[in-house]
Amino acid sequence: MALTERAPAIAGARALRRARRGFGRVHAPRTDRAGIVVLSALGAYVASGLAWWCATRPPTSLIGSLHTTAGRNWDAASWNPGWAWVVGAAVLVAGIAVARALGPLTASAQRAFWLLSTPVDRASMLRPGVVTVFAAGAGAGAAGGRLAAFAGTVEQWLPLTACGAVIGLGIAALALLVQARVLPTRTLPAVQILTAALGGAVAAVCAIGTVVPVLVTWLPVMVAALPALAMCCAALLRCGRITAAELNERAAIAVAARTSLVGLDPTLVVGVHDAAAWKRVAARRSRALPPGRTRALVRADLLRNLRRPSPFAATAVAVCAAWALGTTTQPVVAGWVQLSAVYAATLVFSTGLRDLASKPDLRAMLGAADRALYRPLMVVPACAAAAVTAVTAPATGWSPSVSAIVAAGACVAVYRLRTRPATAYDGLVLETAVGQVPVDLIRQWMRGPDGLVAAGLLLALIL
């Protein structure tokens, strides 16, 4: 009541934020304040340590650790710097995907009801969030630029890192302008597709041995900074056009992401994201399923993947990454890369198995044992695993034993992961001198990844 009683005297958004902060300082428990200070100091320590590590590592540290000079005749001088462009394009595509999934600007139900519905200038209320989005985009872009410098073994990494920060800032501003309906909705997908196509073309050129130069001057940074700053100013001026419906559209994904991070359970955010994706797919023409439970389940799983083509795009990315890394790294690393690519492809095609395993009522309606229902839904993922294994087999030397281990290990890991029971948080907790260790929770998390670890150990023994 104390905060609401002061509301009539508030004149603007700044005064409203000041009143909220004062109310929080007065009524927040002292224990929470100490925890916030400790967590903030720990976060600053980790962030500064990572920044120092990235600034002091030699440019060949990341790539050189994945190669062997005896087997590949690799040295820093012969490495193609064009891989920096490939990694930069991949980071940019991933950043656009995150921006599209999160909004990028969202508002909780409480904030939308108690603050944004008041007769206060909406642009003034949203500008702090806009600045936060800018900071996140610039930080992610800088990290991507430094990773690209590592991938291309670029000595002068600072201009490339600054260019990544500027591009990340521009993408954040572009996403905000799309959300504010200043730019059409198809702008971000068009930029994403164009970036992915350019990255794939550069990867193909690098794979055939053509050297792609990397500009390490400050001229590209200054050129990219002009449109990025212009879009930032436009986003700050036009952010008031973002409606409450647009702010709430991706709020569920943001809340699910925070909950999944706290509970260390990614199934929450994945479920919310899939529900939003199927809403975009909308209705489709119904088709009759074939007779027989097994054939009907296989057909339904196939239609599920055909109506939502994102698994095919993810599989294509995994195959390209396996070829790019597998043909230039050590044999053991190439085997692990192939295993990761096959596992990723099998995982994205197994959403039907995940949905059925998480719905005991649906399994009871189908009237069969759980394994009899699970096995047909592994047909499509197993076919995807076999196809990706065959396509990426040249990266490991066409070894039948390696291909068998990779395909079987990926399928076993995905099956165990998708049929894993719901996470229980009331299991055994071990008290140690350094804190609590959730033994039972770790045991539940290991169901699925344990098959992947076993397959990786077998690959290390035979390669």
Side-chain angles (χ1 to χ4, degrees):
M1 293 296 296
L3 182 60
T4 56
E5 289 173 359
R6 296 175 58 185
I10 294 175
R14 183 176 298 178
L16 184 58
R17 288 194 295 268
R18 189 184 305 113
R20 288 186 63 202
R21 289 194 296 268
F23 183 83
R25 284 193 298 267
V26 172
H27 295 82
R30 294 186 180 275
T31 55
D32 292 349
R33 299 175 188 175
I36 291 174
V37 171
V38 171
L39 290 178
S40 301
L42 180 60
Y45 174 77
V46 173
S48 59
L50 289 174
W52 177 260
W53 184 88
C54 290
T56 55
R57 295 294 293 174
T60 59
S61 59
L62 183 63
I63 301 300
S65 61
L66 300 176
H67 294 75
T68 173
T69 56
R72 300 287 183 179
N73 294 324
W74 178 86
D75 57 352
S78 62
W79 183 251
N80 194 339
W83 291 110
W85 295 113
V86 179
V87 173
V91 172
L92 183 57
V93 170
I96 295 175
V98 172
R100 293 178 61 190
L102 295 180
L105 195 62
T106 60
S108 63
Q110 296 81 6
R111 178 180 172 83
F113 180 80
W114 290 105
L115 297 181
L116 298 179
S117 60
T118 57
V120 180
D121 183 22
R122 175 168 294 180
S124 301
M125 291 295 301
L126 294 179
R127 283 192 183 108
V130 172
V131 174
T132 303
V133 172
F134 288 163
R146 186 66 182 105
L147 182 62
F150 276 127
T153 64
V154 179
E155 291 281 352
Q156 301 294 330
W157 56 268
L158 191 57
L160 195 59
T161 304
C163 187
V166 170
I167 293 177
L169 182 64
I171 290 299
L174 185 67
L176 287 169
L177 290 176
V178 171
Q179 191 178 15
R181 291 170 285 111
V182 177
L183 296 176
T185 309
R186 295 185 177 274
T187 303
L188 282 178
V191 174
Q192 191 176 25
I193 294 173
L194 179 61
T195 305
L198 292 177
V202 175
V205 171
C206 293
I208 62 177
T210 304
V211 177
V212 180
V214 176
L215 298 177
V216 292
T217 63
W218 290 97
L219 180 60
V221 179
M222 293 185 290
V223 171
L226 295 177
L229 293 176
M231 288 189 295
C232 288
C233 295
L236 288 172
L237 292 174
R238 298 299 183 94
C239 62
R241 298 183 57 179
I242 302 177
T243 62
E246 291 165 343
L247 290 172
N248 294 330
E249 186 178 3
R250 300 290 188 268
I253 296 180
V255 172
R258 289 194 295 267
T259 307
S260 298
L261 184 62
V262 173
L264 298 179
D265 188 4
T267 57
L268 298 174
V269 65
V270 171
V272 174
H273 179 268
D274 285 350
W278 282 114
K279 287 181 181 179
R280 290 193 296 268
V281 172
R284 288 293 185 271
R285 182 178 180 181
S286 299
R287 297 182 182 181
L289 296 177
R293 183 189 301 111
T294 301
R295 294 177 58 190
L297 288 173
V298 174
R299 176 74 172 180
D301 196 23
L302 182 61
L303 289 176
R304 171 193 295 270
N305 290 284
L306 291 177
R307 288 174 175 175
R308 185 184 170 191
S310 58
F312 296 94
T315 302
V317 173
V319 170
C320 294
W323 267 99
L325 294 175
T327 56
T328 57
T329 55
Q330 302 178 27
V332 176
V333 178
W336 291 342
V337 169
Q338 185 189 20
L339 176 63
S340 301
V342 176
Y343 174 76
T346 310
L347 190 66
V348 297
F349 277 98
S350 62
T351 54
L353 178 60
R354 181 204 62 197
D355 292 343
L356 183 62
S358 62
K359 296 179 176 62
D361 297 340
L362 180 58
R363 297 199 305 271
M365 291 176 58
L366 293 177
D370 290 346
R371 292 185 178 180
L373 298 175
Y374 292 159
R375 288 169 183 169
L377 295 178
M378 276 299 297
V379 173
V380 174
C383 293
V388 176
T389 303
V391 172
T392 57
T396 56
W398 292 100
S399 176
S401 58
V402 172
S403 299
I405 292 173
V406 166
C411 291
V412 170
V414 168
Y415 181 83
R416 287 178 56 81
L417 178 66
R418 292 307 196 188
T419 58
R420 184 171 63 186
T423 304
Y425 295 93
D426 56 351
L428 177 64
V429 176
L430 182 63
E431 295 285 349
T432 64
V434 295
Q436 295 181 346
V437 178
V439 178
D440 189 68
L441 199 59
I442 295 174
R443 178 193 60 81
Q444 297 178 67
W445 291 338
M446 287 302 297
R447 175 169 172 146
D450 53 358
L452 204 64
V453 172
L457 293 176
L458 290 177
L459 291 177
L461 292 176
I462 67 174
L463 287 176

